[in-house]
Amino acid sequence: CLPPICAVGALEEELVARGVDFEKKETDLAASFSWKRLGQEHAAAKVLAEPGGGLILGAHVAGHGADEIANILALAVRQGIPARELRVMPFAYPTLGYYIRSMA
């Protein structure tokens, strides 16, 4: 679809229903360079992680490059890479992966 929409891991509603404690971080990506240069007015990400930057439980991305960002977030979910590790991981700039640092 346009814009692309991707989800990995658990949905927020699933975590609430299961009584899982989590933190939600929502990021407006439309103001970031990689989306502004394309004239994208709508782009966002939501990452659900254990409190304190723990394991990523789920993530949802909408906008240009959502599929590529979802690949990295899916790897983090599957391999147990905590959000705090993604925040310090070196990514090339200006790539879409670079913005994972601010999403996690």
Side-chain angles (χ1 to χ4, degrees), residues 3-97:
I5 300 171
C6 294
V8 299
L11 298 172
E12 183 175 354
E13 294 80 11
E14 293 171 340
L15 296 176
V16 170
R18 294 189 342 229
V20 176
D21 190 25
F22 67 93
E23 294 177 342
K24 173 174 61 173
K25 184 168 184 184
E26 295 177 300
T27 307
D28 178 4
L29 299 170
S32 300
F33 173 75
S34 290
W35 290 270
K36 280 179 85 167
R37 71 181 175 82
L38 297 172
Q40 300 284 304
E41 296 180 20
H42 305 288
K46 175 170 63 171
V47 174
L48 311 170
E50 293 176 337
L55 296 178
I56 294 176
L57 305 171
H60 312 87
V61 185
H64 167 72
D67 45 354
E68 292 298 324
I69 294 168
N71 285 334
I72 297 169
L73 292 170
L75 178 68
V77 169
R78 185 164 182 112
Q79 296 299 316
I81 301 169
R84 67 180 156 271
E85 292 295 322
L86 289 178
R87 290 182 198 136
V88 297
M89 192 171 289
F91 290 100
Y93 178 84
T95 64
L96 299 176

